[in-house]
Amino acid sequence: MNAPWKPSGPAALRDSFNAFVCDDASFDLIRSICTEMGWPPEKIHKGGLRNAVQSLSVTASPNILFVDMSESGDPLNDINGLAEVCEPGTVVIAAGQVNDVRLYRDLIASGIQDYLLKPFSPDQLREAFATAQSVFNAPKIADASGERPHLTTAVIGTRGGVGASTIATSLAWLMSAKAGRLTALLDLDVHFGTGALAMDLEPGRGLTDAIENPSRIDGLFIERAMVKASEKLSILSAEAPINQPMMTDGAAFFQLQEEFRSAFECSVLDLPRNMLIQHPHLINDANATVVVTELTLAAARDAIRILSWLKSNAPGSKVFVVANRVHAGALEISRKDFEQSIERKIDVMIPADIKLATQAAKLGKTLAEVAKGSKVGQGLESTMKLAMGAIDEVADDSATSKKKGTSLLGKITDLKSMIPARK
């Protein structure tokens, strides 16, 4: 609604103001204030939030919209319904009779500009309308984002269960909350993705709709399909039925990335490793690629293969290796032997912490948000800083990164010798 998205059409074709109110007293008060503001009083309608949704589903939404939620039994769900029919850039003011701080916070998080408690005074209404007008006329964040290049970060796990999705959601949260960047998280595990679940959100149908109808993808589609986790963080994911294969040539993913570059400052791709085989083009424009691994024989083998693939297929991406969930006790492969096998250093070591992971899952928050100040949190922040720094570096190191030593096949074969012998 009032989220900072690029406009989808000329503002001149939209009304300056619309209102949908439930009672006569509010109707008369808003009518008098609208006259003062120079807005046409005939744009004030009887009927509350449900009427607004019905009306705006067939007409263009205004620059500023006032909706009365007094008769709504489920305000949050109805506001989400309103978001589906509102065009990008619409500034929404809601009013209601429920005096609840949690409801107020949830409504603000959903994208409305303000919530007024009824009965409201003329001065409250004037102030709310003046603020809404200022917000609408202010430069949009998406317009200003062109001052610095868009950062795309791909996160790939060497094995299932290494915590790549945990790293991806944490990076997205850190980029939005710590770095203050408008960030999108794209969870490309269409059937079993956990990006929305990690933030206690419903994934919606946005990603499956995009895959099924790539031609629909534009700025307006992105505004309606993305699920907001916070003011600066949005997520696009899915929980497609497991009896429903998603057939795609990858055009939808390419188009989504294009729209992300226009609407956001950063995007994080949670990229299942099988997607590298099916849709190798997904990694072409990634400024940074985070390869998440564990210190095991199988992970070392697959890290070698993935790093070799990235060197050939994504030479412009700055690659970082993150060892996740590293236990303090005996390791299947030591850090030194693991680094020798992949012929490069591990950039970040993140220790295993079951208590923090459990707490994050129970609270419905990203691990980075819960782990602030801990060694886990420090490791996640270090990873975020490396990714953010990639945008300023020349990432094409392929010409100077020729490695000496054994062949790829030879390295994989020799890995078994690194496991300590049992005594």
Side-chain angles (χ1 to χ4, degrees):
M1 290 177 280
N2 60 321
W5 310 92
K6 60 179 182 179
S8 60
L13 299 179
R14 300 166 61 175
D15 291 332
S16 300
F17 177 79
N18 275 183
F20 295 84
V21 295
C22 297
D23 61 282
D24 292 335
S26 298
F27 183 93
D28 294 338
L29 179 56
I30 293 173
R31 186 182 181 90
S32 64
I33 301 299
C34 282
T35 303
E36 294 178 13
M37 301 287 294
W39 295 332
E42 63 270 15
K43 295 300 180 180
I44 306 170
H45 311 279
K46 285 291 184 70
L49 185 54
R50 299 284 176 87
N51 191 30
V53 173
Q54 292 176 357
S55 177
L56 296 178
S57 64
V58 294
T59 61
S61 51
N63 299 342
I64 299 171
L65 175 65
F66 181 95
V67 290
D68 192 340
M69 302 192 304
S70 300
E71 298 176 353
S72 174
D74 189 353
L76 280 178
N77 189 51
D78 288 343
I79 279 289
N80 289 334
L82 180 67
E84 293 179 2
V85 298
C86 267
E87 296 179 44
T90 298
V91 181
V92 179
I93 302 169
Q97 296 175 324
V98 179
N99 187 6
D100 188 331
V101 173
R102 287 177 299 179
L103 174 63
Y104 173 79
R105 289 175 177 170
D106 289 341
L107 288 172
I108 295 300
S110 71
I112 72 167
Q113 170 63 27
D114 202 356
Y115 175 73
L116 303 180
L117 185 64
K118 297 175 65 176
F120 38 75
S121 67
D123 288 339
Q124 286 177 308
L125 209 55
R126 288 190 189 95
E127 182 179 357
F129 287 168
T131 302
Q133 200 166 36
S134 299
V135 169
F136 182 81
N137 292 328
K140 303 297 185 288
I141 293 176
D143 297 334
S145 65
E147 297 175 3
R148 48 192 178 191
H150 179 89
L151 170 66
T152 300
T153 303
V155 182
I156 306 166
T158 57
R159 305 285 299 168
V162 298
S165 292
T166 300
I167 300 295
T169 53
S170 292
L171 286 179
W173 183 84
L174 287 166
M175 288 176 183
S176 62
K178 293 290 185 179
R181 303 291 185 95
L182 195 63
T183 304
L185 171 62
L186 177 58
D187 185 349
L188 288 175
D189 190 341
V190 181
H191 292 91
F192 299 102
T194 57
L197 181 65
M199 301 180 193
D200 197 24
L201 298 170
E202 291 291 334
R205 279 194 49 86
L207 183 54
T208 52
D209 287 346
I211 293 171
E212 292 169 355
N213 301 287
S215 60
R216 290 185 54 202
I217 300 173
D218 57 15
L220 179 58
F221 176 88
I222 292 296
E223 195 274 340
R224 292 178 176 176
M226 300 291 287
V227 178
K228 271 202 164 190
S230 67
E231 188 61 32
K232 288 185 175 289
L233 175 60
S234 300
I235 180 171
L236 187 62
S237 62
E239 287 180 9
I242 58 177
N243 61 347
Q244 176 185 327
M246 302 302 294
M247 307 301 293
T248 174
D249 59 359
F253 303 138
F254 177 81
Q255 186 65 24
L256 285 171
Q257 287 179 282
E258 287 292 306
E259 292 298 330
F260 281 3
R261 276 189 281 273
S262 299
F264 297 94
E265 296 174 280
C266 298
S267 55
V268 177
L269 310 182
D270 187 354
L271 196 62
R273 58 182 183 162
N274 64 290
M275 298 289 278
L276 297 179
I277 303 168
Q278 298 172 2
H279 308 293
H281 65 278
L282 287 174
I283 205 75
N284 288 349
D285 296 323
N287 308 102
T289 301
V290 178
V291 178
V292 184
T293 186
E294 59 188 2
L295 300 186
T296 64
L297 174 66
R301 179 201 66 180
D302 291 341
I304 292 170
R305 301 171 72 192
I306 290 173
L307 290 171
S308 177
W309 186 94
L310 290 170
K311 190 183 299 182
S312 301
N313 293 274
S317 182
K318 190 71 175 177
V319 179
F320 305 101
V321 177
V322 175
N324 190 35
R325 298 173 180 169
V326 179
H327 293 275
L331 299 171
E332 188 174 316
I333 298 179
S334 69
R335 175 176 182 171
K336 179 181 178 181
D337 287 341
F338 192 95
E339 290 176 336
Q340 286 179 345
S341 72
I342 65 174
E343 295 187 345
R344 60 162 293 156
K345 294 289 186 181
I346 293 173
D347 296 283
V348 180
M349 297 275 285
I350 301 177
D353 194 319
I354 297 176
K355 289 183 178 179
L356 282 176
T358 302
Q359 185 181 4
K362 287 182 177 179
L363 295 176
K365 295 182 178 181
T366 63
L367 182 59
E369 190 174 359
V370 173
K372 289 182 288 187
S374 68
K375 290 184 179 180
V376 173
Q378 292 169 7
L380 292 170
E381 288 199 32
S382 296
T383 305
M384 184 269 289
K385 290 175 182 177
L386 288 173
M388 296 287 289
I391 197 68
D392 301 320
E393 298 182 16
V394 178
D396 189 4
D397 299 326
S398 58
T400 58
S401 61
K402 292 182 180 179
K403 302 294 183 179
K404 300 178 181 180
T406 60
S407 66
L408 175 62
L409 179 60
K411 287 187 286 185
I412 295 173
T413 305
D414 292 341
L415 283 173
K416 292 183 179 180
S417 65
M418 300 177 187
I419 302 179
R422 293 182 180 178
K423 296 182 179 180

Coordinates of all heavy atoms in Angstrom, one line a residue, residues 228-276:
K228 N 5.3 -9.1 3.7 CA 6.2 -8.2 4.4 C 6.6 -8.8 5.8 O 5.7 -9.2 6.6 CB 5.5 -6.9 4.7 CG 5.8 -5.9 3.6 CD 5.6 -4.5 4.1 CE 6.2 -3.4 3.2 NZ 6.2 -2.1 3.9
A229 N 7.9 -8.9 6.1 CA 8.3 -9.4 7.4 C 8.6 -8.2 8.3 O 8.5 -8.3 9.5 CB 9.6 -10.2 7.2
S230 N 9.0 -7.1 7.7 CA 9.2 -5.8 8.4 C 9.1 -4.7 7.4 O 8.8 -4.9 6.2 CB 10.5 -5.8 9.1 OG 11.6 -5.8 8.1
E231 N 9.3 -3.5 7.8 CA 9.2 -2.3 7.0 C 10.2 -2.4 5.8 O 9.9 -1.9 4.7 CB 9.4 -1.0 7.7 CG 9.1 0.2 6.9 CD 7.7 0.3 6.5 OE1 6.8 -0.2 7.2 OE2 7.5 0.9 5.4
K232 N 11.4 -3.0 6.0 CA 12.4 -3.1 5.0 C 12.7 -4.5 4.5 O 13.6 -4.7 3.7 CB 13.7 -2.4 5.5 CG 13.6 -0.9 5.6 CD 15.0 -0.3 6.0 CE 14.9 1.2 6.1 NZ 14.8 1.7 4.7
L233 N 11.9 -5.5 4.9 CA 12.2 -6.8 4.5 C 10.9 -7.5 4.0 O 9.9 -7.5 4.7 CB 12.8 -7.6 5.6 CG 13.0 -9.1 5.4 CD1 14.0 -9.4 4.2 CD2 13.5 -9.8 6.6
S234 N 11.0 -8.0 2.8 CA 9.8 -8.8 2.2 C 10.3 -10.1 1.7 O 11.5 -10.3 1.3 CB 9.2 -8.0 1.1 OG 8.7 -6.7 1.5
I235 N 9.4 -11.1 1.6 CA 9.8 -12.4 1.3 C 8.8 -13.0 0.2 O 7.6 -12.7 0.3 CB 9.8 -13.4 2.5 CG1 10.2 -14.8 2.1 CG2 8.5 -13.4 3.2 CD1 10.5 -15.7 3.3
L236 N 9.3 -13.7 -0.7 CA 8.5 -14.4 -1.7 C 8.9 -15.9 -1.6 O 10.0 -16.3 -1.9 CB 8.8 -13.8 -3.1 CG 7.9 -14.4 -4.3 CD1 6.5 -14.0 -4.0 CD2 8.4 -13.8 -5.6
S237 N 7.9 -16.7 -1.3 CA 8.2 -18.1 -1.1 C 6.9 -18.9 -1.4 O 5.9 -18.3 -1.9 CB 8.7 -18.4 0.3 OG 7.6 -18.1 1.3
A238 N 6.9 -20.2 -1.2 CA 5.8 -21.0 -1.5 C 5.8 -22.3 -0.7 O 6.9 -22.7 -0.1 CB 5.8 -21.4 -3.0
E239 N 4.6 -22.9 -0.6 CA 4.5 -24.3 -0.1 C 3.6 -25.1 -1.1 O 2.5 -25.4 -0.8 CB 3.9 -24.3 1.3 CG 4.9 -23.8 2.4 CD 4.2 -23.8 3.8 OE1 3.1 -24.4 3.9 OE2 4.8 -23.3 4.7
A240 N 4.2 -25.3 -2.3 CA 3.4 -25.9 -3.3 C 3.1 -27.3 -2.9 O 3.8 -28.0 -2.2 CB 4.2 -25.9 -4.6
P241 N 1.9 -27.9 -3.3 CA 1.5 -29.3 -3.0 C 2.6 -30.2 -3.5 O 3.1 -30.0 -4.6 CB 0.2 -29.4 -3.7 CG -0.4 -28.0 -3.9 CD 0.8 -27.2 -4.0
I242 N 2.9 -31.2 -2.7 CA 4.0 -32.1 -3.1 C 3.5 -33.1 -4.3 O 4.4 -33.8 -4.8 CB 4.5 -32.9 -1.9 CG1 3.4 -33.7 -1.2 CG2 5.2 -32.0 -1.0 CD1 4.0 -34.6 -0.1
N243 N 2.3 -33.1 -4.6 CA 1.8 -33.9 -5.7 C 1.7 -33.0 -7.0 O 1.0 -33.4 -7.9 CB 0.5 -34.6 -5.4 CG -0.6 -33.6 -5.1 OD1 -0.4 -32.4 -4.9 ND2 -1.9 -34.0 -5.1
Q244 N 2.2 -31.8 -6.9 CA 2.1 -30.9 -8.0 C 3.5 -30.4 -8.4 O 4.1 -29.5 -7.9 CB 1.3 -29.6 -7.6 CG 1.2 -28.5 -8.6 CD 0.4 -27.3 -8.1 OE1 -0.5 -27.4 -7.2 NE2 0.8 -26.1 -8.5
P245 N 4.1 -31.1 -9.4 CA 5.4 -30.6 -9.9 C 5.3 -29.3 -10.6 O 4.3 -29.0 -11.3 CB 5.8 -31.7 -10.9 CG 4.5 -32.3 -11.4 CD 3.6 -32.2 -10.2
M246 N 6.3 -28.4 -10.3 CA 6.3 -27.1 -10.9 C 7.2 -27.1 -12.2 O 8.4 -27.2 -12.1 CB 6.9 -26.1 -9.9 CG 6.1 -26.0 -8.6 SD 4.4 -25.6 -8.8 CE 4.5 -23.9 -9.4
M247 N 6.5 -27.1 -13.3 CA 7.2 -27.1 -14.6 C 7.5 -25.7 -15.0 O 6.6 -24.9 -15.2 CB 6.4 -27.9 -15.6 CG 5.9 -29.2 -15.2 SD 7.2 -30.4 -14.8 CE 8.0 -30.6 -16.4
T248 N 8.8 -25.4 -15.2 CA 9.2 -24.1 -15.6 C 10.5 -24.1 -16.4 O 11.4 -25.0 -16.1 CB 9.3 -23.1 -14.4 OG1 9.8 -21.9 -14.8 CG2 10.3 -23.7 -13.4
D249 N 10.7 -23.2 -17.3 CA 11.9 -23.0 -18.0 C 12.9 -22.0 -17.3 O 13.9 -21.7 -17.8 CB 11.7 -22.6 -19.5 CG 11.0 -21.3 -19.6 OD1 10.6 -20.7 -18.5 OD2 10.7 -20.9 -20.7
G250 N 12.4 -21.5 -16.2 CA 13.2 -20.5 -15.5 C 13.0 -19.1 -15.8 O 13.6 -18.2 -15.2
A251 N 12.1 -18.8 -16.8 CA 11.8 -17.4 -17.2 C 11.2 -16.6 -16.0 O 11.6 -15.4 -15.9 CB 10.8 -17.4 -18.4
A252 N 10.4 -17.3 -15.2 CA 9.8 -16.5 -14.1 C 10.9 -16.1 -13.1 O 10.8 -15.0 -12.6 CB 8.8 -17.4 -13.4
F253 N 11.9 -16.9 -12.8 CA 12.9 -16.6 -11.9 C 13.8 -15.4 -12.4 O 14.1 -14.5 -11.7 CB 13.8 -17.8 -11.6 CG 13.1 -19.0 -11.1 CD1 13.4 -20.3 -11.6 CD2 12.1 -18.9 -10.2 CE1 12.7 -21.4 -11.2 CE2 11.4 -20.0 -9.7 CZ 11.7 -21.3 -10.2
F254 N 14.0 -15.4 -13.7 CA 14.8 -14.4 -14.3 C 14.0 -13.0 -14.2 O 14.6 -12.0 -13.8 CB 15.1 -14.7 -15.8 CG 15.8 -13.6 -16.5 CD1 17.2 -13.4 -16.4 CD2 15.1 -12.7 -17.3 CE1 17.9 -12.4 -17.0 CE2 15.8 -11.7 -18.0 CZ 17.2 -11.5 -17.8
Q255 N 12.7 -13.1 -14.5 CA 11.9 -11.9 -14.4 C 11.8 -11.4 -13.0 O 11.8 -10.2 -12.8 CB 10.5 -12.2 -15.0 CG 9.6 -11.0 -15.2 CD 10.1 -10.0 -16.2 OE1 10.9 -10.3 -17.1 NE2 9.7 -8.7 -16.0
L256 N 11.7 -12.3 -12.0 CA 11.6 -11.9 -10.6 C 12.9 -11.1 -10.2 O 12.8 -10.1 -9.6 CB 11.4 -13.1 -9.7 CG 10.0 -13.7 -9.7 CD1 10.0 -15.0 -9.0 CD2 9.0 -12.7 -9.1
Q257 N 14.0 -11.6 -10.6 CA 15.3 -11.0 -10.3 C 15.3 -9.6 -10.9 O 15.8 -8.6 -10.3 CB 16.4 -11.8 -10.8 CG 16.7 -13.1 -9.9 CD 17.8 -13.9 -10.4 OE1 17.7 -14.6 -11.4 NE2 19.0 -13.8 -9.7
E258 N 14.8 -9.5 -12.2 CA 14.8 -8.2 -12.8 C 13.9 -7.1 -12.0 O 14.3 -6.0 -11.8 CB 14.2 -8.3 -14.2 CG 15.2 -8.9 -15.2 CD 16.4 -8.1 -15.5 OE1 16.2 -6.9 -15.9 OE2 17.5 -8.6 -15.3
E259 N 12.8 -7.6 -11.6 CA 11.9 -6.7 -10.8 C 12.5 -6.4 -9.5 O 12.3 -5.3 -9.0 CB 10.5 -7.3 -10.7 CG 9.7 -7.5 -11.9 CD 9.4 -6.1 -12.6 OE1 9.3 -5.1 -11.8 OE2 9.3 -6.1 -13.8
F260 N 13.2 -7.3 -8.8 CA 13.8 -7.1 -7.6 C 14.9 -6.0 -7.7 O 15.0 -5.2 -6.8 CB 14.5 -8.4 -7.1 CG 13.6 -9.4 -6.4 CD1 12.2 -9.1 -6.4 CD2 14.0 -10.5 -5.9 CE1 11.3 -10.0 -5.8 CE2 13.2 -11.5 -5.3 CZ 11.8 -11.2 -5.3
R261 N 15.6 -6.0 -8.8 CA 16.6 -4.9 -9.0 C 16.0 -3.6 -9.1 O 16.7 -2.6 -8.7 CB 17.5 -5.2 -10.2 CG 18.6 -6.2 -10.0 CD 19.5 -6.3 -11.2 NE 18.9 -7.2 -12.2 CZ 19.1 -8.5 -12.3 NH1 19.8 -9.1 -11.3 NH2 18.6 -9.2 -13.2
S262 N 14.8 -3.5 -9.5 CA 14.1 -2.2 -9.6 C 13.5 -1.7 -8.3 O 13.4 -0.6 -8.0 CB 13.0 -2.2 -10.7 OG 13.6 -2.5 -12.0
A263 N 13.0 -2.7 -7.5 CA 12.2 -2.4 -6.4 C 12.9 -2.5 -5.0 O 12.5 -1.9 -4.0 CB 11.0 -3.3 -6.3
F264 N 14.1 -3.1 -5.0 CA 14.8 -3.3 -3.8 C 16.3 -2.9 -3.9 O 16.8 -2.8 -5.0 CB 14.7 -4.8 -3.3 CG 13.3 -5.3 -3.0 CD1 12.6 -5.9 -4.0 CD2 12.8 -5.1 -1.8 CE1 11.3 -6.3 -3.7 CE2 11.5 -5.5 -1.5 CZ 10.8 -6.1 -2.5
E265 N 16.9 -2.7 -2.8 CA 18.3 -2.4 -2.8 C 19.2 -3.7 -2.7 O 20.3 -3.7 -3.1 CB 18.7 -1.5 -1.6 CG 18.0 -0.1 -1.7 CD 18.2 0.7 -0.5 OE1 17.5 0.5 0.5 OE2 19.2 1.6 -0.5
C266 N 18.7 -4.7 -2.0 CA 19.3 -6.0 -1.8 C 18.4 -7.1 -2.1 O 17.2 -7.0 -1.7 CB 19.9 -6.2 -0.4 SG 21.2 -4.9 0.0
S267 N 18.8 -8.2 -2.6 CA 18.0 -9.4 -2.7 C 18.9 -10.6 -2.3 O 20.1 -10.7 -2.7 CB 17.4 -9.6 -4.1 OG 18.4 -9.6 -5.1
V268 N 18.3 -11.5 -1.6 CA 18.9 -12.7 -1.1 C 18.2 -13.9 -1.8 O 17.0 -14.0 -1.6 CB 18.9 -12.9 0.4 CG1 19.6 -14.2 0.8 CG2 19.7 -11.7 1.0
L269 N 18.9 -14.8 -2.5 CA 18.3 -16.0 -3.1 C 18.7 -17.2 -2.3 O 19.9 -17.5 -2.1 CB 18.8 -16.2 -4.5 CG 18.8 -14.9 -5.5 CD1 19.3 -15.4 -6.8 CD2 17.4 -14.4 -5.6
D270 N 17.7 -17.9 -1.7 CA 17.9 -19.1 -1.1 C 17.8 -20.2 -2.1 O 16.7 -20.5 -2.6 CB 16.9 -19.4 0.0 CG 17.1 -20.6 0.9 OD1 18.1 -21.4 0.5 OD2 16.4 -20.9 1.8
L271 N 19.0 -20.7 -2.6 CA 19.0 -21.4 -3.8 C 19.4 -22.9 -3.6 O 20.5 -23.2 -3.2 CB 20.1 -20.8 -4.7 CG 20.2 -21.1 -6.2 CD1 18.9 -20.7 -6.9 CD2 21.4 -20.5 -6.8
P272 N 18.4 -23.8 -3.7 CA 18.7 -25.2 -3.5 C 19.7 -25.7 -4.6 O 19.7 -25.2 -5.7 CB 17.4 -25.9 -3.8 CG 16.3 -24.9 -3.5 CD 17.0 -23.6 -3.9
R273 N 20.7 -26.5 -4.2 CA 21.8 -26.8 -5.1 C 21.3 -27.5 -6.4 O 22.0 -27.3 -7.4 CB 22.8 -27.7 -4.4 CG 22.2 -29.0 -3.8 CD 23.3 -29.8 -3.1 NE 22.8 -31.1 -2.7 CZ 23.5 -32.1 -2.3 NH1 24.8 -32.0 -2.3 NH2 22.9 -33.3 -1.9
N274 N 20.2 -28.2 -6.4 CA 19.7 -28.8 -7.6 C 19.3 -27.7 -8.7 O 19.3 -28.0 -9.9 CB 18.5 -29.7 -7.4 CG 17.3 -29.0 -6.8 OD1 17.3 -28.5 -5.7 ND2 16.3 -28.9 -7.6
M275 N 19.0 -26.5 -8.2 CA 18.7 -25.4 -9.1 C 19.9 -25.0 -10.0 O 19.7 -24.4 -11.1 CB 18.1 -24.2 -8.3 CG 16.9 -24.5 -7.5 SD 15.4 -24.7 -8.6 CE 15.0 -23.0 -8.9
L276 N 21.1 -25.2 -9.5 CA 22.3 -24.9 -10.3 C 22.3 -25.8 -11.6 O 22.7 -25.3 -12.6 CB 23.5 -25.2 -9.5 CG 23.8 -24.4 -8.2 CD1 25.0 -24.8 -7.5 CD2 23.8 -22.9 -8.5

